[in-house]
Amino acid sequence: MAVVHRTTMTPGKLELLASWLPAQPWYQDPGAGRAPQPARAGGFRLDDPQGEVGIEFMAVRDGAGDRPVTYHVPLTYRGAPLDGAEHALIGTSEHGVLGRRWIYDGAHDPVLVERLYALVRGEAEPQAQSESDTPDPSVTGWYAGAGGPGPVTILGVSAGPEATDVLVRTPSGRPTIGIRRILRPEPAGEDTAERPLGHVTAEWTLPDATSARGRYAVVLA
């Protein structure tokens, strides 16, 4: 089960994201030279079965513009650099318990991608973002695809204005995991235009302190 340490990180995650967000193709520039003002708006965690990699799916609200935007930033925390992922490094931080951590955009991290696909399939249990050993039943996965569990290999990652698409190889084919980068409330029911094989749905907090619910990720054929 996920362990959340009550300690410090220097620099903090939001501080690192304030520098990283403007360089992303899906970032909505508030204009007028305004810098991002990121704040936590929700999210959840997943366990790494090997206990080596921290996995967090963070909803980050940027209040810099006239209309706040909530981004979805999947993060991984590692005790050593991930080979070949220099382009996905958000930054390093000193953790009060674990020491130096390398923080990555999780769309490029094979451990996060494999666990996200497992969550879609109902084979991983979502964990509360800020509480140790606490499942989060509000996070749900749905899957209508075929095939059983097995290894997941990243074949390619492409970022667009709304999502980051991760093409993967699984025992049953080569689906695309679309990581939604801009979170929007969605009505109940399936998105027939998108024809997903599966999706992950979770909540986040709006500026007026009410809750919204929508898809953090989808799986497409």
Side-chain angles (χ1 to χ4, degrees):
M1 302 287 277
V3 176
V4 179
H5 297 280
R6 304 296 182 184
T7 187
T8 59
M9 291 186 70
T10 307
K13 287 179 273 189
L14 294 177
E15 184 178 352
L16 291 173
L17 289 176
S19 300
W20 179 80
L21 281 170
Q24 308 315 305
W26 35 265
Y27 178 69
Q28 297 191 356
D29 191 342
R34 286 177 280 191
Q37 299 176 8
R40 289 176 179 267
F44 59 95
R45 293 176 181 265
L46 291 176
D47 285 331
D48 170 16
Q50 304 303 316
E52 296 291 333
V53 180
I55 303 171
E56 181 177 7
F57 298 82
M58 182 184 289
V60 180
R61 183 172 60 250
D62 181 13
D66 297 332
R67 295 183 179 180
V69 180
T70 302
Y71 299 103
H72 171 210
V73 185
L75 301 168
T76 55
Y77 308 95
R78 289 175 168 267
L82 173 61
D83 289 343
E86 295 82 3
H87 61 289
L89 181 66
I90 294 175
T92 61
S93 181
E94 292 296 327
H95 190 280
V97 175
L98 302 174
R100 176 162 293 186
R101 307 298 284 173
W102 280 257
I103 304 174
Y104 289 93
D105 176 8
H108 300 263
D109 193 313
V111 174
L112 181 143
V113 171
E114 188 278 328
R115 288 288 84 198
L116 176 58
Y117 189 61
L119 175 60
V120 171
R121 297 173 56 86
E123 297 159 1
E125 186 175 40
Q127 301 290 309
Q129 185 179 31
S130 302
E131 299 292 333
S132 295
D133 303 332
T134 304
D136 186 347
S138 71
V139 181
T140 59
W142 174 86
Y143 186 68
V152 175
T153 303
I154 296 177
L155 300 177
V157 181
S158 60
E162 293 279 337
T164 298
D165 290 335
V166 185
L167 177 65
V168 299
R169 181 172 59 238
T170 74
S172 58
R174 295 189 175 193
T176 295
I177 301 174
I179 297 174
R180 294 278 176 83
R181 291 299 196 165
I182 299 174
L183 294 177
R184 294 189 174 92
E186 294 183 3
E190 296 307 317
D191 185 348
T192 55
E194 202 168 37
R195 299 185 184 279
L197 294 176
H199 55 72
V200 171
T201 302
E203 297 178 350
W204 65 92
T205 302
L206 297 172
D208 63 2
T210 61
S211 293
R213 186 171 181 84
R215 292 178 184 174
Y216 276 53
V218 298
V219 177
L220 304 173

Short mmCIF file of all heavy atoms in Angstrom, two decimals, residues 50-95:
data_model
loop_
_atom_site.label_atom_id
_atom_site.label_comp_id
_atom_site.label_asym_id
_atom_site.label_seq_id
_atom_site.Cartn_x
_atom_site.Cartn_y
_atom_site.Cartn_z
N GLN A 50 6.99 -3.41 -6.93
CA GLN A 50 8.38 -3.61 -6.50
C GLN A 50 8.78 -2.68 -5.38
O GLN A 50 9.86 -2.81 -4.81
CB GLN A 50 9.31 -3.41 -7.69
CG GLN A 50 9.01 -4.29 -8.88
CD GLN A 50 9.04 -5.76 -8.54
OE1 GLN A 50 9.94 -6.22 -7.83
NE2 GLN A 50 8.06 -6.51 -9.03
N GLY A 51 7.92 -1.70 -5.06
CA GLY A 51 8.21 -0.78 -3.97
C GLY A 51 9.33 0.20 -4.25
O GLY A 51 9.87 0.81 -3.31
N GLU A 52 9.68 0.41 -5.51
CA GLU A 52 10.81 1.27 -5.86
C GLU A 52 10.40 2.66 -6.32
O GLU A 52 11.12 3.64 -6.09
CB GLU A 52 11.63 0.61 -6.97
CG GLU A 52 12.28 -0.71 -6.57
CD GLU A 52 13.39 -0.52 -5.56
OE1 GLU A 52 13.98 0.57 -5.53
OE2 GLU A 52 13.66 -1.48 -4.80
N VAL A 53 9.25 2.78 -6.99
CA VAL A 53 8.87 4.02 -7.66
C VAL A 53 7.58 4.57 -7.04
O VAL A 53 6.59 3.85 -6.91
CB VAL A 53 8.65 3.78 -9.17
CG1 VAL A 53 8.26 5.08 -9.87
CG2 VAL A 53 9.92 3.20 -9.80
N GLY A 54 7.62 5.84 -6.65
CA GLY A 54 6.40 6.50 -6.20
C GLY A 54 5.58 6.92 -7.41
O GLY A 54 6.13 7.43 -8.39
N ILE A 55 4.26 6.72 -7.36
CA ILE A 55 3.38 7.00 -8.49
C ILE A 55 2.24 7.88 -8.01
O ILE A 55 1.48 7.49 -7.13
CB ILE A 55 2.82 5.71 -9.10
CG1 ILE A 55 3.95 4.77 -9.54
CG2 ILE A 55 1.89 6.02 -10.27
CD1 ILE A 55 3.47 3.39 -9.95
N GLU A 56 2.11 9.06 -8.60
CA GLU A 56 1.04 9.98 -8.23
C GLU A 56 0.42 10.59 -9.47
O GLU A 56 1.11 10.96 -10.41
CB GLU A 56 1.59 11.10 -7.34
CG GLU A 56 0.52 12.09 -6.87
CD GLU A 56 1.06 13.16 -5.94
OE1 GLU A 56 2.30 13.22 -5.76
OE2 GLU A 56 0.25 13.93 -5.40
N PHE A 57 -0.91 10.68 -9.46
CA PHE A 57 -1.65 11.36 -10.51
C PHE A 57 -2.22 12.64 -9.89
O PHE A 57 -3.15 12.59 -9.09
CB PHE A 57 -2.76 10.45 -11.05
CG PHE A 57 -2.23 9.19 -11.67
CD1 PHE A 57 -1.90 8.10 -10.87
CD2 PHE A 57 -2.04 9.10 -13.03
CE1 PHE A 57 -1.39 6.93 -11.44
CE2 PHE A 57 -1.53 7.94 -13.61
CZ PHE A 57 -1.21 6.85 -12.81
N MET A 58 -1.63 13.76 -10.24
CA MET A 58 -1.94 15.01 -9.56
C MET A 58 -2.80 15.92 -10.44
O MET A 58 -2.48 16.15 -11.61
CB MET A 58 -0.66 15.75 -9.17
CG MET A 58 -0.91 17.06 -8.42
SD MET A 58 0.63 17.98 -8.05
CE MET A 58 1.33 16.91 -6.80
N ALA A 59 -3.88 16.43 -9.88
CA ALA A 59 -4.66 17.49 -10.51
C ALA A 59 -4.10 18.81 -10.00
O ALA A 59 -4.05 19.05 -8.79
CB ALA A 59 -6.13 17.36 -10.16
N VAL A 60 -3.68 19.67 -10.92
CA VAL A 60 -3.02 20.93 -10.59
C VAL A 60 -3.81 22.07 -11.21
O VAL A 60 -3.92 22.16 -12.44
CB VAL A 60 -1.56 20.95 -11.10
CG1 VAL A 60 -0.89 22.26 -10.75
CG2 VAL A 60 -0.78 19.78 -10.54
N ARG A 61 -4.33 22.94 -10.38
CA ARG A 61 -5.08 24.09 -10.88
C ARG A 61 -4.16 25.30 -11.01
O ARG A 61 -3.46 25.66 -10.07
CB ARG A 61 -6.24 24.42 -9.96
CG ARG A 61 -7.12 25.57 -10.48
CD ARG A 61 -8.38 25.75 -9.66
NE ARG A 61 -8.12 26.06 -8.27
CZ ARG A 61 -8.36 25.24 -7.26
NH1 ARG A 61 -8.84 24.03 -7.46
NH2 ARG A 61 -8.09 25.60 -6.02
N ASP A 62 -4.17 25.91 -12.19
CA ASP A 62 -3.39 27.12 -12.43
C ASP A 62 -4.34 28.31 -12.40
O ASP A 62 -5.22 28.45 -13.26
CB ASP A 62 -2.69 27.04 -13.78
CG ASP A 62 -1.84 28.27 -14.08
OD1 ASP A 62 -1.61 29.07 -13.14
OD2 ASP A 62 -1.43 28.44 -15.24
N GLY A 63 -4.17 29.17 -11.41
CA GLY A 63 -5.04 30.33 -11.26
C GLY A 63 -4.48 31.60 -11.83
O GLY A 63 -4.95 32.69 -11.49
N ALA A 64 -3.49 31.50 -12.73
CA ALA A 64 -2.83 32.71 -13.23
C ALA A 64 -3.72 33.50 -14.18
O ALA A 64 -3.62 34.72 -14.25
CB ALA A 64 -1.53 32.34 -13.94
N GLY A 65 -4.59 32.82 -14.91
CA GLY A 65 -5.42 33.50 -15.91
C GLY A 65 -6.78 33.90 -15.37
O GLY A 65 -7.11 33.65 -14.20
N ASP A 66 -7.57 34.52 -16.22
CA ASP A 66 -8.92 34.91 -15.83
C ASP A 66 -9.81 33.70 -15.60
O ASP A 66 -10.76 33.76 -14.81
CB ASP A 66 -9.53 35.81 -16.91
CG ASP A 66 -8.76 37.12 -17.07
OD1 ASP A 66 -8.15 37.56 -16.08
OD2 ASP A 66 -8.76 37.67 -18.19
N ARG A 67 -9.53 32.61 -16.32
CA ARG A 67 -10.27 31.37 -16.15
C ARG A 67 -9.29 30.28 -15.70
O ARG A 67 -8.48 29.81 -16.51
CB ARG A 67 -10.95 30.96 -17.45
CG ARG A 67 -12.04 31.94 -17.91
CD ARG A 67 -12.70 31.43 -19.17
NE ARG A 67 -13.77 32.31 -19.63
CZ ARG A 67 -14.51 32.11 -20.71
NH1 ARG A 67 -14.26 31.02 -21.45
NH2 ARG A 67 -15.46 32.96 -21.04
N PRO A 68 -9.34 29.87 -14.45
CA PRO A 68 -8.41 28.84 -13.97
C PRO A 68 -8.52 27.56 -14.80
O PRO A 68 -9.61 27.18 -15.24
CB PRO A 68 -8.85 28.60 -12.52
CG PRO A 68 -9.54 29.87 -12.13
CD PRO A 68 -10.22 30.36 -13.38
N VAL A 69 -7.39 26.93 -15.03
CA VAL A 69 -7.32 25.67 -15.77
C VAL A 69 -6.77 24.60 -14.84
O VAL A 69 -5.82 24.85 -14.09
CB VAL A 69 -6.40 25.81 -17.00
CG1 VAL A 69 -6.33 24.50 -17.77
CG2 VAL A 69 -6.88 26.94 -17.90
N THR A 70 -7.38 23.41 -14.89
CA THR A 70 -6.89 22.30 -14.08
C THR A 70 -6.21 21.29 -14.99
O THR A 70 -6.82 20.76 -15.92
CB THR A 70 -8.02 21.61 -13.30
OG1 THR A 70 -8.66 22.58 -12.46
CG2 THR A 70 -7.47 20.50 -12.42
N TYR A 71 -4.94 21.03 -14.70
CA TYR A 71 -4.14 20.10 -15.48
C TYR A 71 -4.00 18.77 -14.74
O TYR A 71 -4.03 18.72 -13.51
CB TYR A 71 -2.74 20.67 -15.73
CG TYR A 71 -2.74 21.97 -16.50
CD1 TYR A 71 -2.54 23.19 -15.85
CD2 TYR A 71 -2.94 21.98 -17.88
CE1 TYR A 71 -2.53 24.38 -16.56
CE2 TYR A 71 -2.94 23.17 -18.59
CZ TYR A 71 -2.74 24.37 -17.92
OH TYR A 71 -2.75 25.55 -18.62
N HIS A 72 -3.81 17.73 -15.52
CA HIS A 72 -3.49 16.42 -14.96
C HIS A 72 -2.02 16.13 -15.21
O HIS A 72 -1.59 16.07 -16.37
CB HIS A 72 -4.37 15.35 -15.62
CG HIS A 72 -3.98 13.95 -15.27
ND1 HIS A 72 -4.17 12.90 -16.12
CD2 HIS A 72 -3.41 13.43 -14.14
CE1 HIS A 72 -3.74 11.79 -15.55
NE2 HIS A 72 -3.27 12.09 -14.36
N VAL A 73 -1.26 15.99 -14.13
CA VAL A 73 0.17 15.73 -14.25
C VAL A 73 0.50 14.43 -13.52
O VAL A 73 0.55 14.39 -12.29
CB VAL A 73 1.01 16.89 -13.65
CG1 VAL A 73 2.49 16.62 -13.89
CG2 VAL A 73 0.60 18.22 -14.24
N PRO A 74 0.69 13.33 -14.25
CA PRO A 74 1.13 12.09 -13.61
C PRO A 74 2.61 12.19 -13.29
O PRO A 74 3.41 12.62 -14.13
CB PRO A 74 0.84 11.02 -14.67
CG PRO A 74 0.91 11.76 -15.97
CD PRO A 74 0.49 13.17 -15.70
N LEU A 75 2.98 11.83 -12.08
CA LEU A 75 4.35 11.99 -11.60
C LEU A 75 4.91 10.65 -11.12
O LEU A 75 4.18 9.85 -10.52
CB LEU A 75 4.40 12.99 -10.44
CG LEU A 75 3.89 14.41 -10.72
CD1 LEU A 75 3.75 15.16 -9.40
CD2 LEU A 75 4.83 15.14 -11.66
N THR A 76 6.19 10.45 -11.34
CA THR A 76 6.89 9.35 -10.69
C THR A 76 8.07 9.91 -9.91
O THR A 76 8.69 10.90 -10.31
CB THR A 76 7.38 8.28 -11.68
OG1 THR A 76 8.20 8.87 -12.69
CG2 THR A 76 6.21 7.57 -12.32
N TYR A 77 8.36 9.26 -8.80
CA TYR A 77 9.44 9.66 -7.91
C TYR A 77 10.41 8.49 -7.80
O TYR A 77 10.03 7.39 -7.40
CB TYR A 77 8.89 10.02 -6.52
CG TYR A 77 7.76 11.01 -6.57
CD1 TYR A 77 6.43 10.57 -6.58
CD2 TYR A 77 7.99 12.38 -6.62
CE1 TYR A 77 5.38 11.47 -6.63
CE2 TYR A 77 6.94 13.28 -6.68
CZ TYR A 77 5.65 12.82 -6.68
OH TYR A 77 4.61 13.73 -6.75
N ARG A 78 11.64 8.73 -8.17
CA ARG A 78 12.65 7.67 -8.20
C ARG A 78 13.87 8.04 -7.38
O ARG A 78 14.21 9.22 -7.26
CB ARG A 78 13.08 7.39 -9.65
CG ARG A 78 12.00 6.68 -10.48
CD ARG A 78 12.40 6.52 -11.92
NE ARG A 78 11.53 5.61 -12.66
CZ ARG A 78 11.75 4.31 -12.80
NH1 ARG A 78 12.85 3.77 -12.27
NH2 ARG A 78 10.91 3.56 -13.48
N GLY A 79 14.53 7.01 -6.86
CA GLY A 79 15.73 7.23 -6.08
C GLY A 79 16.98 7.33 -6.91
O GLY A 79 18.08 7.56 -6.36
N ALA A 80 16.87 7.16 -8.23
CA ALA A 80 18.01 7.28 -9.15
C ALA A 80 17.44 7.67 -10.51
O ALA A 80 16.25 7.47 -10.78
CB ALA A 80 18.77 5.96 -9.25
N PRO A 81 18.25 8.24 -11.39
CA PRO A 81 17.74 8.64 -12.71
C PRO A 81 17.19 7.45 -13.50
O PRO A 81 17.70 6.32 -13.39
CB PRO A 81 18.97 9.24 -13.39
CG PRO A 81 19.87 9.65 -12.27
CD PRO A 81 19.66 8.64 -11.20
N LEU A 82 16.15 7.71 -14.29
CA LEU A 82 15.58 6.72 -15.20
C LEU A 82 16.33 6.80 -16.52
O LEU A 82 16.32 7.84 -17.18
CB LEU A 82 14.09 6.99 -15.40
CG LEU A 82 13.36 6.15 -16.44
CD1 LEU A 82 13.41 4.67 -16.08
CD2 LEU A 82 11.91 6.62 -16.57
N ASP A 83 16.97 5.72 -16.90
CA ASP A 83 17.78 5.71 -18.12
C ASP A 83 16.94 6.10 -19.34
O ASP A 83 15.83 5.60 -19.54
CB ASP A 83 18.38 4.32 -18.35
CG ASP A 83 19.48 3.98 -17.35
OD1 ASP A 83 19.99 4.91 -16.70
OD2 ASP A 83 19.81 2.79 -17.22
N GLY A 84 17.48 7.00 -20.15
CA GLY A 84 16.84 7.39 -21.38
C GLY A 84 15.67 8.32 -21.23
O GLY A 84 14.97 8.60 -22.21
N ALA A 85 15.43 8.85 -20.03
CA ALA A 85 14.26 9.69 -19.80
C ALA A 85 14.64 11.11 -19.41
O ALA A 85 13.86 11.80 -18.75
CB ALA A 85 13.37 9.07 -18.73
N GLU A 86 15.80 11.57 -19.84
CA GLU A 86 16.23 12.92 -19.48
C GLU A 86 15.23 13.97 -19.93
O GLU A 86 15.00 14.98 -19.25
CB GLU A 86 17.61 13.21 -20.09
CG GLU A 86 18.75 12.35 -19.55
CD GLU A 86 18.82 10.98 -20.21
OE1 GLU A 86 18.01 10.72 -21.14
OE2 GLU A 86 19.67 10.17 -19.81
N HIS A 87 14.60 13.75 -21.10
CA HIS A 87 13.63 14.71 -21.64
C HIS A 87 12.36 14.78 -20.80
O HIS A 87 11.62 15.75 -20.91
CB HIS A 87 13.26 14.30 -23.06
CG HIS A 87 12.62 12.94 -23.14
ND1 HIS A 87 13.32 11.78 -22.93
CD2 HIS A 87 11.33 12.58 -23.39
CE1 HIS A 87 12.50 10.74 -23.05
NE2 HIS A 87 11.30 11.20 -23.33
N ALA A 88 12.11 13.79 -19.98
CA ALA A 88 10.89 13.74 -19.17
C ALA A 88 11.13 14.16 -17.72
O ALA A 88 10.20 14.14 -16.91
CB ALA A 88 10.30 12.32 -19.19
N LEU A 89 12.36 14.55 -17.39
CA LEU A 89 12.67 14.94 -16.01
C LEU A 89 12.08 16.30 -15.69
O LEU A 89 12.36 17.30 -16.37
CB LEU A 89 14.19 14.97 -15.81
CG LEU A 89 14.67 15.33 -14.40
CD1 LEU A 89 14.29 14.24 -13.40
CD2 LEU A 89 16.18 15.56 -14.40
N ILE A 90 11.24 16.36 -14.68
CA ILE A 90 10.68 17.63 -14.22
C ILE A 90 11.67 18.34 -13.31
O ILE A 90 11.79 19.57 -13.34
CB ILE A 90 9.34 17.39 -13.50
CG1 ILE A 90 8.30 16.87 -14.51
CG2 ILE A 90 8.82 18.66 -12.84
CD1 ILE A 90 6.98 16.47 -13.89
N GLY A 91 12.38 17.58 -12.51
CA GLY A 91 13.39 18.16 -11.63
C GLY A 91 13.77 17.19 -10.54
O GLY A 91 13.25 16.08 -10.46
N THR A 92 14.71 17.59 -9.71
CA THR A 92 15.09 16.80 -8.54
C THR A 92 14.74 17.57 -7.28
O THR A 92 14.67 18.80 -7.28
CB THR A 92 16.60 16.47 -8.54
OG1 THR A 92 17.33 17.70 -8.51
CG2 THR A 92 16.98 15.67 -9.77
N SER A 93 14.52 16.81 -6.21
CA SER A 93 14.12 17.42 -4.95
C SER A 93 14.69 16.61 -3.80
O SER A 93 14.84 15.38 -3.90
CB SER A 93 12.58 17.47 -4.86
OG SER A 93 12.16 18.07 -3.65
N GLU A 94 14.99 17.29 -2.71
CA GLU A 94 15.49 16.61 -1.52
C GLU A 94 14.31 16.27 -0.61
O GLU A 94 13.64 17.16 -0.08
CB GLU A 94 16.50 17.48 -0.78
CG GLU A 94 17.81 17.68 -1.52
CD GLU A 94 18.58 16.38 -1.71
OE1 GLU A 94 18.50 15.49 -0.80
OE2 GLU A 94 19.25 16.23 -2.75
N HIS A 95 14.08 14.98 -0.46
CA HIS A 95 12.98 14.48 0.38
C HIS A 95 13.50 14.31 1.80
O HIS A 95 14.58 13.77 2.02
CB HIS A 95 12.49 13.14 -0.20
CG HIS A 95 11.24 12.62 0.41
ND1 HIS A 95 11.22 11.96 1.61
CD2 HIS A 95 9.96 12.63 -0.03
CE1 HIS A 95 9.98 11.58 1.89
NE2 HIS A 95 9.19 11.99 0.90
#
